[in-house]
Amino acid sequence: MALARTHAVALLGFSGALVEVEADISGQLPGMILIGLPDTALSEATQRVRMAAKNSGCPLTRNHLTINLSPAALPKHGSGFDLSIALACLAADQVVTAASVAGVVHIGELALDGRLRPVPGILPAVVAAAKQGRTTVMVPAGNAEEASLVPGMTVVGVASLRDAAIWHGARIEPRAVEAIPAADVPVDVTADHDLADVVGNDDAILALQVAAAGGHHLMMLGPPGAGKTMLAVRLPGLLPDLVPEASLEVSSMRSLVGQGVGPRLVTRPPFEAPHHTATAASIVGGGSGQIRPGAAARASHGVLFLDEAPEFAASVLDALRQPLESGVVTIHRANAVAQFPARFQLVLAANPCPCGQFGSSDQECTCPPIARRRYLARISGPLRDRIDIQLGVRRITPAQIRLATEQARLGTLEARERVRAARQAAEARLESTPWRLNSDVPGTWLRSSRMRLDHAATAGLDRALERGGITMRGYDRVLRVAWSIADLEGESRPRPDHVGQALYLRKGMA
């Protein structure tokens, strides 16, 4: 009788912790018990492991098995512990080499026939193992490509428990098994949307470029058919490719929610557009058992688009206020606290009234004034105050369509290059600070003696503040947008017309 150990990874939110899996054989009575705070799916591993081992040609001992997952106080979820439990049990029974099993981190779910199923969260799990100094990880063959994205890690992909046991020294004959493939890589729904397809709406096209250059949040108000959704889905295309750190984070988030990653890290910003019936938990994340990321976390380093924003529940919209400021979603449960990144650009689209025709030149609005006020009041003042660019969008007239067809229009690739140059200018200016985007810069720094604009440039903005047209937070946000406009135009400092444009983009819905 012997005791054997190996390791697995427990994911809590976006981070992972190394878990020691111990297996001990004792006594003559048959049985198998799993301890160490497992959830329901993990508790069922005892039956999966026993049947998978039998069907793989290396059955578990008939004596009593005790499997401990340490640290015991750490919550453990899911079926990704199956492979480590099975190999620890086989090592305790001296079917495989205990020293070999102890030096490898094992992650994978077992089917009853012994094959290994790919599991979600492989990329963040392998990253967590690497941070703990581990150098070798064994994963299902379907996850091997994704696990190999972590530099410095030796990845062993196996199709079945039988293959894993042979790799660890079991004296059994190999058997050909077809590997279970991983999930397909999702299609980028924004890839084919070119900015050149947008006809008219020059102010909105400028607003998209400014939002992309500075990382600003955007709200568009206009009647149905004005092009709000068409504009929103083109914003991710204007954003530059992700830097390596952001690329790893976005790829890890995609892995965590069970989407395919493929042979390379994700390089394009994500785009999330939840339906207006979404709950607060589906937007910011949650769950009564395992804590799962919401749309705000999945949109990190990209765009979160809420179409028909007033139709969302007020509690859902207000749940976004804290992530907009901190860039992090923190979810508290009785036995755990999980954190997810949530540094996204928020884009809201709304009709001006319940019927959608208020302000339209070709149709009459039937909504009384109080109905219009109540409709837009569903988006709370504190949330709107956090949105840097607020713009009205109108329907395009036939004359504008005819004129636009005769003019050259700005394409996505050209606009992306402008945005990239603007962001480089901002990064050079902010090199000695902890910020990289204009939207991140605090107002106190913008109003400091080093960065303060002269009175001629801010005269109109000062008057708006004195009249109560904007708040102090709004004042600072106008300054941030003005710096983004200056960066787009290659200017070292904002001019008075840049501040005026920024104020218009802030108050353009009024």
Side-chain angles (χ1 to χ4, degrees):
M1 306 304 176
L3 172 70
R5 295 182 177 87
T6 187
H7 291 86
V9 176
L11 290 173
L12 180 58
F14 201 64
S15 59
L18 205 62
V19 173
E20 186 177 61
V21 181
E22 301 174 297
D24 180 72
I25 301 175
S26 59
Q28 299 298 320
L29 294 177
M32 189 174 182
I33 185 171
L34 181 64
I35 57 177
L37 208 60
D39 69 347
T40 302
L42 181 50
S43 295
E44 294 170 349
T46 56
Q47 300 303 315
R48 286 194 302 272
V49 167
R50 188 173 287 283
M51 293 306 299
K54 185 188 75 145
N55 292 327
S56 296
C58 43
L60 300 184
T61 177
R62 294 181 177 274
N63 295 330
H64 189 80
L65 273 165
T66 302
I67 300 102
N68 179 45
L69 307 178
S70 178
L74 178 70
K76 302 164 192 74
H77 306 279
S79 55
F81 292 83
D82 288 4
L83 181 60
S84 59
I85 292 172
L87 289 172
C89 293
L90 292 175
D93 199 25
Q94 299 179 3
V95 175
V96 298
T97 306
S100 176
V101 169
V104 179
V105 176
H106 300 92
I107 306 169
E109 175 187 342
L110 286 170
L112 294 184
D113 61 359
R115 290 182 301 163
L116 278 169
R117 300 184 186 277
V119 294
I122 279 290
L123 187 55
V126 176
V127 169
K131 288 181 178 178
Q132 294 295 321
R134 298 289 164 169
T135 58
T136 306
V137 61
M138 181 176 285
V139 299
N143 287 135
E145 195 174 55
E146 180 182 325
S148 299
L149 295 174
V150 180
M153 182 66 73
T154 300
V155 177
V156 180
V158 290
S160 67
L161 176 60
R162 188 183 186 92
D163 292 344
I166 292 172
W167 194 89
H168 283 298
R171 297 174 181 266
I172 53 179
E173 291 295 322
R175 183 191 302 166
V177 175
E178 184 178 355
I180 301 175
D184 293 333
V185 178
V187 178
D188 184 1
V189 297
T190 66
D192 296 329
H193 297 288
D194 198 296
L195 191 63
D197 298 334
V198 180
V199 175
N201 275 323
D202 292 340
D203 290 343
I205 291 175
L206 171 64
L208 283 184
Q209 295 176 71
V210 174
H216 304 288
H217 307 303
L218 170 67
M219 179 174 179
M220 293 178 286
L221 185 73
K228 303 184 295 294
T229 302
M230 179 179 66
L231 289 162
V233 297
R234 282 158 174 79
L235 178 57
L238 305 187
L239 301 177
D241 287 343
L242 299 171
V243 299
E245 182 180 354
S247 181
L248 179 60
E249 199 170 88
V250 171
S251 301
S252 297
M253 184 62 66
R254 181 177 288 183
S255 172
L256 192 61
V257 299
Q259 297 177 344
V261 175
R264 291 177 297 276
L265 293 175
V266 180
T267 58
R268 294 300 303 150
F271 178 77
E272 291 287 331
H275 192 261
H276 63 260
T277 55
T279 63
S282 69
I283 295 294
V284 298
S288 57
Q290 186 175 2
I291 302 175
R292 306 290 292 175
R298 298 194 302 271
S300 191
H301 301 290
V303 176
L304 176 63
F305 174 47
L306 303 186
D307 199 6
E308 305 294 345
E311 300 296 338
F312 283 80
S315 59
V316 173
L317 294 176
D318 286 338
L320 293 172
R321 285 158 55 180
Q322 182 266 339
L324 286 177
E325 291 292 331
S326 66
V328 175
V329 169
T330 304
I331 301 171
H332 293 259
R333 291 295 180 265
N335 61 346
V337 178
Q339 275 196 345
F340 298 102
R343 194 164 295 281
F344 56 87
Q345 282 185 250
L346 178 64
V347 178
L348 302 181
N351 293 328
C353 62
C355 79
Q357 304 304 327
F358 180 70
S360 176
S361 58
D362 54 349
Q363 296 190 41
E364 183 179 356
C365 174
T366 59
C367 303
I370 190 170
R372 295 197 295 267
R373 289 196 297 270
R374 285 176 176 169
Y375 186 71
L376 290 181
R378 297 179 184 179
I379 306 174
S380 67
L383 177 61
R384 288 181 61 170
D385 203 34
R386 287 170 166 81
I387 299 173
D388 298 353
I389 300 174
Q390 303 178 21
L391 189 68
V393 182
R394 297 184 180 277
R395 291 195 184 108
I396 304 302
T397 64
Q400 289 175 309
I401 295 176
R402 286 193 296 270
L403 180 62
T405 56
E406 301 171 359
Q407 297 175 340
R409 297 192 294 275
L410 184 68
T412 292
L413 294 180
E414 184 182 351
R416 187 190 299 169
E417 185 59 29
R418 289 192 69 202
V419 169
R420 187 189 63 79
R423 288 200 173 193
Q424 285 182 341
E427 287 179 7
R429 182 173 63 251
L430 301 171
E431 186 176 9
S432 61
T433 72
W435 315 295
R436 289 297 173 264
L437 294 174
N438 290 324
S439 58
D440 298 331
V441 178
T444 51
W445 192 78
L446 289 176
R447 289 180 272 108
S448 65
S449 57
R450 176 187 171 189
M451 302 302 298
R452 184 185 303 130
L453 303 181
D454 57 48
H455 179 69
T458 62
L461 183 58
D462 294 338
R463 286 194 296 271
L465 180 63
E466 291 169 359
R467 293 195 304 266
I470 58 173
T471 63
M472 194 65 219
R473 175 185 280 159
Y475 185 98
D476 292 338
R477 292 187 180 276
V478 170
L479 289 179
R480 295 171 186 167
V481 173
W483 278 100
S484 295
I485 295 173
D487 290 336
L488 269 176
E489 296 192 2
E491 299 289 342
S492 59
R493 293 178 73 83
R495 301 191 306 261
D497 59 312
H498 295 153
V499 178
Q501 273 186 314
L503 185 58
Y504 169 72
L505 292 177
R506 173 76 180 177
K507 304 295 290 181
M509 289 184 354

